[in-house]
Amino acid sequence: MNFRGRVSYSRKFYLAHSGSVRLEFKGVSHTGDVWLDGKKIAHHYNAFTPFSTTVTHLEQGEHEIKVLVDNSFGEHSALHIPNDYYTYGGITRPVLLENIYDVYIKGIHFTPYKAGQLWKARVEISVRNLSSQCASFDLTASLDSVQMTREAVSLEADSETTLVFDQEFPNVLPWSHKSPQLYFLNAVLSINGVPVDDLIERVGFRTVETVDGKLLLNGEPVFLKGFNRHEDYADFGCAIPLQLMVKDMDLMQDMGVNAVRTCHYPNDERFLDLCDERGILVWEENHARGFTLKEMLNPHFEAQCRDCIQEMIENHYNHPGIVIWGILNECASETEEGRKMYAEQYAQIKGLDQSRPTTSATCRHFTDICLDLPDIVSFNMYSGWYEDVDPKKRNEQEIDWIQKAGGAGKPIIVSEMGAAAIYGCRDRSHCKWSEERQADIIRENLEVYMNHQAITGVFIWQFADCRVTEEGGWFSTRARCHNNKGVVDEYRRPKLAYDTVKEMFLSAPQ
């Protein structure tokens, strides 16, 4: 659990028939190099986004995969640095190996929208031809008895095409946090009348907009009541089993949440699947937290951010639960150089997906020069913990500044608020680090934020205690080498604040 450096993994597999294969890694922390039978076939940086590669003309018989993983810090790693959460190492998410035909369905993007009272969707299906010859194929996609078909599509050798359907779906029901209706979109690719590949995506019909300072889901305003959640568990690090993801979801929903922020990186798609199923609204963000300008000027920073955003949106586009894309938590948004990078990342997101609003959590109070760039303004504020100030007065100052600094007319979210407590530390004087003081501070802040007309959501920092890196200086301000602001500890044992949050979230409009 404390190792930092290089390790190697190897695994043998038997291929029953000669042909092409596709290998996908859902998460390798944080640099991975992949060899197949001694030949390097892939390189990838970033623990929190998946990557895949294909191999053609693989012979029948036994083969060996080797993966060299490196979680060391250094200039080569602009995003994984000593931080207020722990950078684990290894293959941390599932790995898939599949036989594929030389012509296969690479991916699907599903974008729902409303035309009057009718639900429609833009369905984009990408097909790849790995062979050295031109191919002809038929493609059929179906959803809720509606079929979309293209016949005799020609695709040049070693190339890719995207087929686009703009389709009405007259009988579907919308997805929402109150009624998370999901549908299967099934695409089948055939050659000479024989199905050779299929891909099934689970999708939902919903729209997300920002209008007059409100966040609208299917045209109706929604107030986000949520937690920030790290992928960290005492017994498993960041490689959390599905059963414990379910437990996290059960605990959060018991407290009345309708939203979660995946701080500060793209999450495991299985957790996102649970959010889709249960109607949890998701703010998912790229991987960059608390960077100074010097750190943002790392020569690899911009390229690694671009890759992370591309892979995050490419792979998680179809999750109806994701309603916000976020970037660059608490980075150098008070600088001109930083503003340029913020603007470029927002533009990249809009180039990939215009169906969701954007935001970024700022702590550059009264100095941030980027508030005009996102669709939603979000700020992190720890009144009562880092500053002994009145939450109501401090919030009024913040809202007034936001309105004057580029955020006028935009929804405002409190992206972080909270206090730390050591599990089991009880004190009649309610001193700091006690469970009593944490519960007091959370209550005082929620009473302000949940009753202010300009605020459209609040995310408590945080759901569960998480480990921090021992390198750098974070350990010196984090007792036990943990960020202890969770309302449950790293074993998911509830603190007093659990009941405070439950009382306040459940008493608010659902």
Side-chain angles (χ1 to χ4, degrees), residues 306-354:
R306 281 195 299 271
D307 289 345
C308 183
I309 290 172
Q310 173 73 38
E311 292 165 349
M312 174 180 72
I313 295 178
E314 176 76 23
N315 288 280
H316 295 167
Y317 188 93
N318 295 329
H319 288 280
I322 298 176
V323 296
I324 298 172
W325 295 123
I327 62 170
L328 300 175
N329 174 79
E330 294 187 346
C331 293
S333 54
E334 80 283 13
T335 68
E336 290 295 341
E337 299 96 326
R339 177 182 168 85
K340 178 175 178 291
M341 297 182 198
Y342 273 79
E344 289 175 350
Q345 292 192 24
Y346 284 131
Q348 181 189 3
I349 291 174
K350 290 300 185 182
L352 296 169
D353 180 12
Q354 298 184 31

Side-chain angles (χ1 to χ4, degrees), residues 198-487:
D198 73 333
L199 181 59
I200 300 173
E201 287 282 354
R202 196 170 60 170
V203 300
F205 289 82
R206 60 100 187 93
T207 60
V208 188
E209 303 169 277
T210 57
V211 179
D212 296 331
K214 302 295 183 182
L215 180 67
L216 304 184
L217 182 69
N218 300 329
E220 298 293 329
V222 59
F223 187 92
L224 304 179
K225 301 176 295 181
F227 277 106
N228 293 274
R229 174 187 175 271
H230 270 296
E231 292 184 320
D232 201 339
Y233 203 102
D235 295 326
F236 300 96
C238 66
I240 302 176
L242 176 62
Q243 295 90 334
L244 294 181
M245 295 181 193
V246 172
K247 180 177 181 179
D248 280 2
M249 192 70 72
D250 287 345
L251 291 170
M252 286 190 288
Q253 290 193 286
D254 179 62
M255 286 182 278
V257 308
N258 64 10
V260 65
R261 178 180 173 215
T262 69
C263 49
H264 298 292
Y265 38 77
N267 266 204
D268 190 312
E269 65 183 32
R270 294 171 297 174
F271 183 75
L272 299 176
D273 285 340
L274 291 173
C275 292
D276 292 341
E277 292 172 6
R278 296 181 178 220
I280 298 298
L281 306 171
V282 178
W283 161 348
E284 186 167 54
E285 63 190 34
N286 74 335
H287 181 210
R289 182 234 163 258
F291 282 61
T292 63
L293 180 59
K294 180 180 178 180
E295 290 165 332
M296 293 175 74
L297 293 175
N298 179 304
H300 303 293
F301 178 79
E302 291 185 85
Q304 290 175 353
C305 281
R306 281 195 299 271
D307 289 345
C308 183
I309 290 172
Q310 173 73 38
E311 292 165 349
M312 174 180 72
I313 295 178
E314 176 76 23
N315 288 280
H316 295 167
Y317 188 93
N318 295 329
H319 288 280
I322 298 176
V323 296
I324 298 172
W325 295 123
I327 62 170
L328 300 175
N329 174 79
E330 294 187 346
C331 293
S333 54
E334 80 283 13
T335 68
E336 290 295 341
E337 299 96 326
R339 177 182 168 85
K340 178 175 178 291
M341 297 182 198
Y342 273 79
E344 289 175 350
Q345 292 192 24
Y346 284 131
Q348 181 189 3
I349 291 174
K350 290 300 185 182
L352 296 169
D353 180 12
Q354 298 184 31
S355 69
R356 295 173 172 95
T358 58
T359 195
S360 178
T362 184
C363 67
R364 304 301 198 259
H365 307 292
F366 313 115
T367 61
D368 195 309
I369 60 173
C370 297
L371 301 188
D372 60 311
L373 298 176
D375 300 305
I376 299 169
V377 175
S378 302
F379 67 91
N380 299 341
M381 181 64 67
Y382 289 88
S383 298
W385 182 249
Y386 293 122
E387 294 182 88
D388 289 323
V389 295
D390 175 59
K392 184 176 182 179
K393 182 178 180 181
R394 185 65 181 80
N395 182 60
E396 292 294 344
Q397 294 171 336
E398 189 81 6
I399 298 297
D400 181 64
W401 165 67
I402 288 171
Q403 303 289 358
K404 296 175 181 177
K410 298 183 179 185
I412 299 174
I413 291 175
V414 182
S415 38
E416 295 179 22
M417 52 76 57
I422 305 297
Y423 176 80
C425 177
R426 306 292 291 272
D427 184 83
R428 293 178 66 187
S429 70
H430 292 216
C431 70
K432 284 192 174 182
W433 297 96
S434 69
E435 290 191 29
E436 289 88 350
R437 185 63 163 271
Q438 180 191 41
D440 291 345
I441 290 173
I442 288 177
R443 179 182 295 277
E444 291 166 2
N445 280 268
L446 285 180
E447 286 175 346
V448 171
Y449 298 138
M450 293 180 66
N451 293 289
H452 197 289
Q453 62 179 4
I455 292 176
T456 196
V458 57
F459 290 85
I460 297 168
W461 188 275
Q462 59 182 326
F463 168 62
D465 294 347
C466 71
R467 191 177 176 190
V468 305
T469 54
E470 296 184 24
E471 301 93 334
W474 286 104
F475 74 92
S476 63
T477 59
R478 302 290 187 247
R480 308 184 304 124
C481 282
H482 279 70
N483 186 314
N484 299 286
K485 295 188 183 73
V487 300

Side-chain angles (χ1 to χ4, degrees), residues 6 30-31 43 45 70-80 298-301 304:
R6 293 187 176 187
H30 50 254
T31 301
H43 168 83
Y45 172 81
D70 185 359
N71 75 332
S72 63
F73 298 136
E75 186 182 80
H76 67 285
S77 174
L79 306 183
H80 292 266
N298 179 304
H300 303 293
F301 178 79
Q304 290 175 353

